[in-house]
Amino acid sequence: QVQLVESGGGVVQPGRSLRLSCAASGFTFSSYAMHWVRQAPGKGLEWVAVISYDGINKYYRDSVKGRFTISRDNSKNTLFLQVNSLRAEDTALYYCASSYCNSSNCYNFDYWGQGTLITVSS
Amino acid sequence: EIVMTQSPATLSVSPGERATLSCRASQSVTSNLAWYQQRPGQAPRLLVYGASTRATGIPARFSGSGSGTEFTLTISSLQSEDFALYSCQQYNDWPWTFGQGTKVEIK
């Protein structure tokens, strides 16, 4: 069955960095776009970034542009999120999620991991 | 960005009763609308995509409707496992955006 397992979260001070990973199995990882979605404590879901199936195209929400970098290694079925210059407002549970994209559109999230928690605190 | 507004924030329903959840988009998202269920401590689960198509394995008591800016998720007869947070999400335009969620709780 499909599994997405995130890791790499932790407690960090403002301004520091972390690298999140998401290990995928049970589906053809290299055929799917992959996303990071976050959820602050007690808040709703917030899309963060997406990377195309081949790693060429990447998009970010404005609040993380220049600080977060999404990447993938299709040979290892793994998605990454490098998070730099962390702020208190980045505190959240970070989920990876898959979606199918064709040449013109991307579609809903199909599968989600269980999330990894980033807490930014001094 | 497209703002998704869900109502009500909390819905108190007795088991076996019908629940109707609403989602409104600040501009048309055509039918590019999904609903997700999130039980406490669990990841979101896809319920409905394309505004009205149930995802694989989702019981028939869940149904979605609407297009453009107004959408509804109906749970025809609530079961104990349905008490959860429900979120709508548009995938028509970037950035993809979610509603703030409707919590369905036991009355």
Side-chain angles (χ1 to χ4, degrees):
Chain A
Q1 75 280 19
V2 172
Q3 274 201 309
L4 295 170
V5 179
E6 302 92 337
S7 60
V11 180
V12 292
Q13 293 178 326
R16 303 301 289 264
S17 300
L18 282 174
R19 190 191 198 203
L20 307 184
S21 299
C22 169
S25 60
F27 68 109
T28 307
F29 179 75
S30 58
S31 296
Y32 283 80
M34 294 297 297
H35 305 251
W36 288 98
V37 178
R38 66 186 179 183
Q39 188 169 34
K43 302 293 185 181
L45 296 159
E46 181 177 78
W47 172 81
V48 174
V50 61
I51 186 168
S52 59
Y53 71 97
D54 55 5
I56 293 176
N57 295 304
K58 306 173 186 180
Y59 299 100
Y60 302 88
R61 69 177 303 104
D62 285 348
S63 61
V64 308
K65 281 181 185 174
R67 300 190 299 123
F68 290 13
T69 302
I70 191 170
S71 61
R72 65 191 296 161
D73 184 340
N74 284 346
S75 69
K76 296 181 179 178
N77 288 352
T78 305
L79 173 72
F80 303 100
L81 186 69
Q82 178 69 39
V83 295
N84 298 331
S85 304
L86 281 162
R87 306 167 180 169
E89 55 265 34
D90 296 319
T91 293
L93 187 61
Y94 284 73
Y95 295 102
C96 63
S98 62
S99 73
Y100 172 73
C101 299
N102 58 25
S103 58
S104 55
N105 290 300
C106 286
Y107 300 92
N108 52 275
F109 301 111
D110 296 315
Y111 299 103
W112 299 69
Q114 292 296 312
T116 187
L117 180 63
I118 294 179
T119 303
V120 183
S121 174
S122 54
Chain B
E1 71 179 43
I2 297 176
V3 177
M4 307 300 293
T5 303
Q6 290 185 244
S7 61
T10 304
L11 188 60
S12 297
V13 185
S14 299
E17 287 189 341
R18 181 186 193 94
T20 302
L21 289 66
S22 295
C23 175
R24 174 177 291 177
S26 61
Q27 64 190 74
S28 177
V29 298
T30 63
S31 294
N32 293 321
L33 189 286
W35 290 93
Y36 302 89
Q37 177 194 65
Q38 195 173 10
R39 296 175 177 141
Q42 294 189 17
R45 176 175 73 143
L46 176 66
L47 295 176
V48 169
Y49 62 93
S52 60
T53 302
R54 275 191 304 278
T56 302
I58 301 303
R61 64 181 181 272
F62 291 91
S63 62
S65 63
S67 66
T69 62
E70 301 284 343
F71 301 90
T72 300
L73 177 71
T74 302
I75 312 171
S76 60
S77 176
L78 273 154
Q79 307 297 303
S80 57
E81 62 267 28
D82 300 336
F83 293 96
L85 180 70
Y86 292 84
S87 299
C88 62
Q89 177 247 332
Q90 66 82 17
Y91 48 96
N92 196 65
D93 280 325
W94 299 102
W96 287 2
T97 49
F98 292 86
Q100 78 280 16
T102 291
K103 180 182 179 182
V104 177
E105 64 177 25
I106 300 174
K107 187 175 182 180

